[in-house]
């Protein structure tokens, strides 16, 4: 699956959600429906492309952005943040990869009561859910994706950022730091 097709499917799913920033799970549900009408090979290809995007976005600067907006980010939390970022669509994704500080234009620093973070874990699993809905078997999906997907590097790309150093965060992400650092 080429990147244009991938993002076209994401946009189809986003069209059914009023607020993708607050409702990435709605985008995930839409993707499961969209992919449910696809051939199994296309569902796997979607998963492979999603894995490629995850690898490309495994970067210190983007992880630092996730750390700021979510008041912390474990490795799993960073994965889920990137799922949320996919749910925001291609324009936001590409802007964030070009300049993670651009997320200051997307996120809201006023977190509502009960806010659990910018988390799109559901987006990371849409392929397996769609595949299981079509075939009854998610294990085959994961085997097929793993056979084609690139491996995540051991270390994020780019210059390491110390998440516990406010000055380092302010240097790399001044707009997000202004919103989220005390």
């Amino acid at each position: 699956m080429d990147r244009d097709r991938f993002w076209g499917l994401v946009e189809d799913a986003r069209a059914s959600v009023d607020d993708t920033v607050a409702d990435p799970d709605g985008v995930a549900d839409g993707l499961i429906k969209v992919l449910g009408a696809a051939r199994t090979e296309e569902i796997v290809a979607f998963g492979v492309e999603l894995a490629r995007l995850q690898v490309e976005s495994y970067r210190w600067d983007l992880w630092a952005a996730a750390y700021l907006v979510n008041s912390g980010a474990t490795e799993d939390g960073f994965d889920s943040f990137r799922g949320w970022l996919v749910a925001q669509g291609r324009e936001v994704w590409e802007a964030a990869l070009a300049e993670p500080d651009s997320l200051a234009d997307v996120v809201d620093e006023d977190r509502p009561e009960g806010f659990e973070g910018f988390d799109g874990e559901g987006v990371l699993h849409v392929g397996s859910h769609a595949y299981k809905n079509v075939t009854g078997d998610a294990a085959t999906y994961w085997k097929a994706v793993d056979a084609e997907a690139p491996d995540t590097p051991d270390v994020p790309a780019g210059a390491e950022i110390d998440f516990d150093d406010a000055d380092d965060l302010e240097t790399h992400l001044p707009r997000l730091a202004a919103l989220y650092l005390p």
Side-chain angles (χ1 to χ4, degrees), residues 41-165:
E41 297 81 15
E42 188 169 29
I43 298 171
V44 168
F46 181 91
V48 170
E49 187 61 26
L50 179 59
R52 284 185 186 120
L53 290 171
Q54 288 288 94
V55 168
E56 290 172 18
S57 63
Y58 192 64
R59 301 174 9 186
W60 284 111
D61 57 354
L62 195 59
W63 198 337
Y67 183 88
L68 280 170
V69 303
N70 282 331
S71 300
T74 63
E75 191 159 353
D76 286 343
F78 181 43
D79 289 344
S80 295
F81 171 79
R82 290 177 291 152
W84 171 85
L85 193 54
V86 167
Q88 305 320 301
R90 187 177 200 165
E91 184 177 327
V92 171
W93 174 273
E94 290 178 351
L97 264 64
E99 178 52 60
D101 210 27
S102 70
L103 289 169
D105 297 328
V106 179
V107 297
D108 185 352
E109 75 275 14
D110 297 322
R111 299 175 189 157
E113 181 94 17
F115 177 78
E116 294 185 23
F118 299 97
D119 180 342
E121 182 179 4
V123 173
L124 303 177
H125 301 285
V126 296
S128 65
H129 291 299
Y131 196 93
K132 185 174 182 177
N133 289 346
V134 171
T135 68
D137 175 28
T140 301
Y141 166 83
W142 288 115
K143 287 178 190 173
V145 170
D146 288 345
E148 293 185 48
D151 292 330
T152 300
D154 291 335
V155 178
E160 185 172 355
I161 298 171
D162 183 351
F163 302 160
D164 294 322
D165 182 340

